[in-house]
Every structure is written in structure tokens, then in C-alpha cells.
């Protein structure tokens, strides 16, 4: 697209943000009453729902049960109307399966699975509107949902994406910035210790720049943590008022 | 279908209550639960709506795309339905588990719209035999607490009401080749008339009486149900019996009369809510799932 600069000379991005600025995040826990835990998050125009069932008995074959820890099962599904072009199948395609595996890897690092041997925890993520940063929104929503379900975790899992344009690292990419084809980094972080649960990068990036991009993503994930922490405290406060404490 | 396991005592309790026109949550046999409808929830669709009927949660998105008209109807566009039973509702819907229910609901939707008057398909035609609008109506089932068909049909009607299709012009130049030009104004669009779009009223037979808007527990007690698709004027467009029990013809006629009565009230309140929401204009505060 001729004339569409991802980063203007004054340092503004396409949607008017600064390089390290996140999009507006709004979240809510306890969206569905029937699930064990549920949460909804909006990061700019990206909207994701996460629902957690568990820990419960292993469904399907008993042979899959792990004797010393819980099995974490994730499914990523994005609605057919979520993207600009209509998607034909909401889940079951390669990208959704890969996302499911990545989410599983992320949450196996954070959930204290040793506390629930021989059981299964299901995390289902649904993307309602995709405008870039879908993996990050899914991880953030799933963290809130797991907390809503009362499943013990080592720490929050906060995720953010980052890119690199004109020598500057950009945090929280939107769809326009992702589609431009530059390098994209997806990072999931456990904020208290700074440990990385998942790191994935696409496209070519010179190794000298890696540290800068990683730094930008980690800082953005820490900012997300502050917001999610506030959402959780607000939810607990509301719940305790309703209980009359 | 997502179901709940009930003991015999609970079933007897529900049945005795229904005989006296008193249901477990205090409703009468012909009362709906509180319905929440909100349109324009997802922004990159042509129209969308979210309906919450008790704990049943449905999200519908309509996308308008250009395509070729069907051979037997060259002057009309068409609607395509797709229902996704998300694993959010119950873990049984994970992977391909929800496909059966999804196909059943999609086929029912095709059937209720399969008549000349529900939607004026001629407005969807751009140029005969070459271009037309295809409306992809995608239903996402998020939570299931009984009475799926009713909630889905209400959501589809609300989403079609909210659909805005861009106005296009066909320009023909000297060589005869046609060019499609999109109007410059993003707010210049055609709206569909949903006056005759039907809604489904499901009546479940429990004992000797029938109830409207059954919860999951009541559906577990009922052996047979009748799905009646009725328009705002009381015209029935589709009738279908579901369930493993049997119904006698007398009950079927009674249930149809009930559905016409209930359907008219449902349509009237839905129309008034949709018009009220529309009148709030673009400054309306959108709640979505955050409220």
C-alpha cells in the first residue's frame, strides 16, 4: 500500500499510537454462569472469549491420564465472521490446531498441574473479532478464565506481540501492522519472575535487534499484567460485596 | 443436544407443576424468560446481534459478499447459514462434537427461510445472472440452557435488521464490459426489510400440557416438541416435530394456535426493541460482553 507508513516521522503509528503504546484493554471475568471459569477481553478491536472447564475426570480414553499431574487441553476457535474475509471453518484447520498447541504449552508452564493428578483441565478460546494480536488476547483471556475457575497458577500469564519497523520496536501490533510483513514476535510472560512461557518469532530479524524487540514485548506484557491484576481485584471485590463480607 | 441428567423425582415435580400452569421458576406455560438483544456487537461484519435468553447465549454475524446468482433464480441473491456450536457451551462440542447439532440447526434455518416472502431476495440482486449479494449468516452458540431454536431465530432476525449492505452501481462502458462501483459514502447502504422474517417458537409437550421456552431441565422431561416458525402476522412458514415421543393430532393443532398467539407477541416486542435501539443512533453505548 503506497503511502501507508507504519511509523511516521513524528513517531506515530497508523492508529495514532506511540511505538511502545498498547491498545485499550477492557476485560471482564465470569461472563458465563454455566462454565467453571470464563472471561472476555477486548484489546483494541480484537475480542476474545475464554472458557475453562475443570479440573474434571479425563474424557475419552482413560489411558491418557497422567499419574502425577493434570492434562491441559486447549482448543482455539475463531468465528467465521471474525476476520475481514469470511473464514470457512472456525476450527480444525492447521492454524487453529497450532494455536491450540501453543496455548497448551503456555498454560502447562503456569498451571500447578501437580495438584490435580489424573484429571483434565479444558481451556476453550473463541476469537470473536480478529484485529491483530489474537494469540496475546487469547492468552490474556485464558489467564483470567483460569483464575475465575479457581485453578491454582504459578503466576499470571501475560502476552503481547511486538514488531520492528525503521529501527524501532513496536508493541501490540494491529492487523494492518501484521499484514505489512515485517518481523513479529509473540511473547507470553510470567510477570513476577520475568520468566518466558512462550516465545515465537516470524520473518527475518537481525540478531542485534532481537534484544530491543524482546525488551519491548516484555515491557508491554508487564503493562498488561497491571491491567489484568486490576480486573481480577475488581471482580473479587464485587463478588465479596455480593456475598456480604 | 446438551442435556442435563434429572432424577425421576425432579421430573415428576416439574410435570406436576406444569399441569397447574406453574413452572419451576414461577413462569406460566406461555411465558418467555427475560430476553436481552443487542445489535452491532462485532464491527467487521455487515450486521450482528447477540441474544441472551436466560443462560442461552447466541451471537450471529452477517457478512455480505458478492457472488454469482443461482441458475434457477437469476434475479435474486441468497442467504447461506452456518451454525457453529462452540466448545464454550459444553466440552462435548469440542472438535467435531458440535457438528451434528450445528447441521440440524442450519438445516432448520434453511427451511424456515425457504419461501418467497421471508426476505425480499430481489433487493440483493446487482445485475441479473452475473452478480448478486450473498448473505452469509453465521451463528455462534456460546452457552446452552434450553430453547436454542427460538434464541437463534431471534438473533438471526435482529442481525438481518442490523445488516447494512453497501450500495453498488453497475457501470457499463462502450465495449459492453461491466464495472461495479462502490458508493463513496460509507453510510450509504441498503437495509433489509425484516417485517416477514419468521421466528421459531418451540413448544415442548410435558404431560398433557405444552410449554413455551423450556429450560434444559424441562426439555429433559419432555418427550416430544413442536417447532413452529411463525411470522409477525401469524403466518406459519415451517412446522417440525422433534423428539423421540409421539404427538396426537389434537395436540398439534392446539400447539399451533398457541405458537401463533405467542409468536405475535414475541415479534411485536422484538420490533419495538430493535426500533428503540436504532433510534438511539450511533452514540448508543455498546455493551457487548462487558456489561
Amino acid at each position: 500500500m503506497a503511502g501507508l507508513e507504519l511509523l511516521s516521522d513524528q513517531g506515530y503509528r497508523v492508529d495514532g499510537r506511540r511505538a511502545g503504546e498498547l491498545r485499550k484493554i477492557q476485560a471482564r471475568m465470569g461472563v458465563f454462569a454455566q462454565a467453571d471459569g470464563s472471561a472476555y477481553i477486548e484489546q483494541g478491536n480484537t475480542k476474545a472469549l475464554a472458557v475453562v472447564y475443570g479440573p474434571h475426570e479425563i474424557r475419552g480414553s482413560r489411558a491418557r491420564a497422567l499419574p502425577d499431574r493434570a492434562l491441559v487441553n486447549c482448543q482455539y476457535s475463531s468465528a467465521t465472521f471474525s476476520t475481514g474475509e469470511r473464514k470457512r471453518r472456525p476450527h480444525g484447520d492447521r492454524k487453529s490446531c497450532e494455536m491450540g498447541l501453543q496455548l497448551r504449552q503456555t498454560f502447562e508452564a503456569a498451571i500447578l498441574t501437580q495438584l490435580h493428578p489424573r484429571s483434565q483441565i479444558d481451556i476453550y478460546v473463541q476469537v470473536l473479532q480478529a484485529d491483530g494480536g489474537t494469540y496475546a488476547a487469547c492468552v490474556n483471556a485464558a489467564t483470567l478464565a483460569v483464575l475465575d475457575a479457581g485453578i491454582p497458577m504459578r503466576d499470571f500469564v501475560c502476552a503481547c506481540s511486538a514488531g520492528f519497523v525503521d529501527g524501532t520496536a513496536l508493541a501490540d501490533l494491529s492487523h494492518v501492522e501484521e499484514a505489512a510483513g515485517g518481523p513479529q514476535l509473540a511473547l507470553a510472560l510470567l510477570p513476577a519472575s520475568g520468566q518466558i512461557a512462550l516465545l515465537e518469532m516470524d520473518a527475518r530479524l537481525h540478531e542485534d535487534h532481537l534484544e530491543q524487540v524482546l525488551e519491548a514485548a516484555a515491557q508491554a506484557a508487564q503493562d498488561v499484567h497491571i491491567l489484568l491484576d486490576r480486573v481480577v481485584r475488581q471482580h473479587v471485590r464485587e463478588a465479596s460485596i455480593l456475598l456480604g463480607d | 443436544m446438551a442435556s442435563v441428567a434429572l432424577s425421576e423425582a425432579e421430573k415428576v415435580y416439574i410435570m406436576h407443576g406444569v399441569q397447574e400452569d406453574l413452572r419451576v421458576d414461577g413462569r406460566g406455560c406461555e411465558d418467555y424468560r427475560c430476553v436481552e438483544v443487542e445489535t452491532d456487537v462485532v464491527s467487521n461484519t455487515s450486521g450482528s446481534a447477540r441474544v441472551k435468553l436466560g443462560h442461552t447465549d447466541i451471537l450471529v454475524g452477517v457478512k455480505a459478499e458478492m457472488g454469482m446468482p443461482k441458475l434457477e433464480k437469476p434475479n435474486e441473491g441468497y442467504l447461506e447459514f452456518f451454525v457453529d456450536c462452540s466448545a464454550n457451551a459444553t466440552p462435548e462440542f469440542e472438535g467435531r462434537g458440535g457438528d451434528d447439532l450445528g447441521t440440524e440447526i442450519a438445516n432448520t434455518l434453511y427451511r424456515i427461510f425457504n419461501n418467497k416472502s421471508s426476505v425480499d431476495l430481489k433487493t440483493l440482486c446487482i445485475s441479473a445472472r452475473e452478480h448478486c449479494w450473498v448473505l452469509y449468516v453465521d451463528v455462534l452458540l456460546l452457552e446452552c440452557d434450553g430453547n436454542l431454536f427460538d434464541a437463534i431465530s431471534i438473533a438471526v432476525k435482529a442481525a438481518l435488521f442490523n445488516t447494512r449492505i453497501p450500495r453498488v452501481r453497475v457501470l457499463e462502458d462502450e465495449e459492453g464490459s461491466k464495472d461495479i462501483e462502490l458508493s463513496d459514502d460509507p453510510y450509504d447502504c441498503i437495509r433489509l426489510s425484516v417485517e416477514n422474517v419468521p421466528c421459531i417458537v418451540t413448544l415442548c409437550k410435558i404431560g398433557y400440557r405444552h410449554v413455551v421456552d423450556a429450560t434444559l431441565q424441562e426439555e429433559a422431561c419432555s418427550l416430544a416438541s413442536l417447532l413452529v416458525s411463525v411470522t409477525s402476522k401469524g403466518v406459519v412458514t415451517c412446522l417440525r416435530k422433534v423428539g423421540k415421543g409421539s404427538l396426537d393430532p389434537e395436540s398439534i393443532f392446539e400447539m399451533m394456535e398457541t405458537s401463533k398467539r405467542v409468536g405475535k407477541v414475541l415479534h411485536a416486542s422484538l420490533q419495538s426493541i430493535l426500533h428503540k435501539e436504532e433510534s438511539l443512533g450511533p452514540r448508543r453505548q455498546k455493551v457487548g460482553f462487558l456489561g
Side-chain angles (χ1 to χ4, degrees):
Chain A
M1 271 189 263
L4 184 69
E5 308 178 298
L6 290 181
L7 193 64
S8 75
D9 299 324
Q10 290 84 23
Y12 290 109
R13 291 153 77 172
V14 180
D15 49 6
R17 287 184 284 152
R18 287 266 174 209
E21 200 180 321
L22 293 175
R23 291 176 287 183
K24 181 175 179 188
I25 296 181
Q26 288 174 289
R28 184 158 162 253
M29 292 167 69
V31 181
F32 297 132
Q34 289 186 334
D36 290 329
S38 56
Y40 171 74
I41 196 168
E42 273 186 27
Q43 262 181 251
N45 280 331
T46 300
K47 297 178 177 153
L49 265 175
V51 166
V52 170
Y53 285 97
H56 57 77
E57 211 178 322
I58 299 257
R59 267 195 350 267
S61 64
R62 293 287 166 84
R64 291 194 305 147
L66 298 165
D68 58 339
R69 51 186 215 277
L71 190 69
V72 176
N73 173 36
C74 295
Q75 181 182 272
Y76 169 92
S77 165
S78 75
T80 45
F81 46 76
S82 61
T83 49
E85 285 269 320
R86 182 176 177 264
K87 266 186 78 165
R88 303 210 58 203
R89 276 203 65 79
H91 50 261
D93 56 317
R94 262 208 310 257
K95 178 163 178 281
S96 306
C97 289
E98 189 196 357
M99 281 285 228
L101 287 173
Q102 285 181 347
L103 284 169
R104 180 181 169 172
Q105 182 192 337
T106 312
F107 281 94
E108 272 178 350
I111 295 178
L112 293 170
T113 46
Q114 287 82 0
L115 294 175
H116 304 284
R118 311 195 71 85
S119 56
Q120 181 175 344
I121 297 173
D122 294 315
I123 303 178
Y124 300 125
V125 181
Q126 181 84 35
V127 173
L128 301 178
Q129 204 174 301
D131 185 34
T134 46
Y135 169 75
C138 291
V139 167
N140 296 333
T143 300
L144 291 178
V146 170
L147 288 172
D148 189 41
I151 297 174
M153 288 213 286
R154 211 158 268 128
D155 193 359
F156 277 73
V157 187
C158 302
C160 197
S161 56
F164 192 75
V165 163
D166 286 347
T168 325
L170 303 178
D172 198 9
L173 304 173
S174 66
H175 178 71
V176 171
E177 290 162 343
E178 279 182 0
Q184 292 167 43
L185 185 104
L187 178 78
L189 197 70
L190 286 96
S193 50
Q195 302 273 334
I196 296 176
L198 185 128
L199 176 65
E200 208 210 8
M201 211 198 78
D202 293 338
R204 274 174 23 173
L205 179 70
H206 196 287
E207 59 176 292
D208 291 346
H209 302 308
L210 179 62
E211 194 177 330
Q212 187 185 358
V213 179
L214 202 53
E215 187 50 50
Q219 180 55 44
Q222 293 284 1
D223 294 339
V224 169
H225 168 61
I226 297 172
L227 282 155
L228 293 185
D229 188 75
R230 203 183 297 163
V231 169
V232 174
R233 284 178 200 277
Q234 176 67 25
H235 180 75
V236 171
R237 201 174 304 135
E238 284 173 4
S240 60
I241 289 173
L242 288 171
L243 285 172
D245 287 336
Chain B
M1 177 100 68
S3 59
V4 71
L6 281 188
S7 67
E8 283 305 313
E10 285 175 295
K11 286 186 187 168
V12 166
Y13 180 71
I14 291 177
M15 274 204 274
H16 282 182
V18 169
Q19 307 310 314
E20 310 289 327
D21 195 21
L22 189 63
R23 291 154 82 173
V24 173
D25 46 7
R27 289 184 281 155
C29 285
E30 295 188 5
D31 294 334
Y32 267 88
R33 285 170 286 185
C34 182
V35 185
E36 290 173 31
V37 177
E38 192 184 349
T39 57
D40 208 16
V41 185
V42 178
S43 49
N44 51 4
T45 52
S46 309
S48 60
R50 180 187 175 216
V51 166
K52 227 171 129 53
L53 177 65
H55 282 311
T56 300
D57 208 325
I58 312 279
L59 182 60
V60 172
V62 178
K63 271 179 133 39
E65 287 184 11
M66 274 208 256
M68 291 258 310
K70 294 192 171 151
L71 285 174
E72 62 269 16
K73 299 204 168 100
N75 292 327
E76 296 176 349
Y78 55 97
L79 273 73
E80 291 273 350
F81 294 99
F82 175 73
V83 177
D84 178 21
C85 296
S86 148
N88 289 16
T90 157
E92 287 150 15
F93 289 161
E94 189 186 342
R96 305 196 84 102
D99 282 358
D100 286 342
L101 179 60
T103 331
E104 188 192 342
I105 301 177
N107 288 341
T108 309
L109 286 172
Y110 274 116
R111 221 185 260 146
I112 69 173
F113 278 87
N114 188 20
N115 57 66
K116 291 193 191 21
S117 55
S118 294
V119 174
D120 188 7
L121 297 170
K122 293 202 171 29
T123 51
L124 298 177
C125 181
I126 302 171
S127 59
R129 277 184 299 282
E130 285 172 4
H131 299 108
C132 71
W133 287 111
V134 181
L135 293 182
Y136 289 99
V137 181
D138 297 315
V139 178
L140 181 59
L141 172 60
L142 290 168
E143 216 186 351
C144 180
D145 189 29
N147 208 17
L148 290 178
F149 287 95
D150 292 30
I152 289 176
S153 63
I154 295 172
V156 168
K157 181 166 180 172
L160 287 173
F161 177 79
N162 183 239
T163 305
R164 284 161 169 75
I165 304 171
R167 216 181 278 277
V168 290
R169 274 199 337 237
V170 183
L171 302 167
E172 223 178 291
D173 58 12
E174 303 86 42
E175 285 109 51
S177 61
K178 293 186 181 168
D179 206 16
I180 300 201
E181 187 190 310
L182 209 62
S183 140
D184 283 335
D185 180 4
Y187 292 108
D188 183 21
C189 47
I190 48 178
R191 304 281 299 271
L192 289 175
S193 159
V194 295
E195 289 290 312
N196 289 323
V197 169
C199 273
I200 299 179
V201 178
T202 308
L203 299 128
C204 293
K205 188 142 205 304
I206 298 179
Y208 295 115
R209 299 193 63 158
H210 48 268
V211 296
V212 168
D213 189 19
T215 59
L216 268 186
Q217 286 81 6
E218 288 164 349
E219 281 182 357
C221 299
S222 116
L223 286 174
S225 314
L226 195 70
L227 292 176
V228 184
S229 142
V230 62
T231 66
S232 54
K233 299 188 179 63
V235 173
V236 172
T237 70
C238 171
L239 191 65
R240 201 171 140 224
K241 179 217 157 274
V242 293
K244 48 188 189 294
S246 50
L247 291 172
D248 56 285
E250 288 296 316
S251 320
I252 292 190
F253 285 115
E254 260 177 46
M255 285 154 109
M256 264 179 61
E257 290 308 310
T258 311
S259 70
K260 282 197 265 191
R261 209 170 38 238
V262 169
K264 278 196 193 148
V265 175
L266 178 65
H267 275 287
S269 26
L270 180 62
Q271 288 280 65
S272 74
I273 285 288
L274 289 175
H275 284 296
K276 207 195 305 183
E277 209 189 23
E278 173 105 3
S279 67
L280 291 173
R283 294 201 195 294
R284 162 172 75 96
Q285 199 175 24
K286 296 197 181 143
V287 173
F289 289 90
L290 289 168

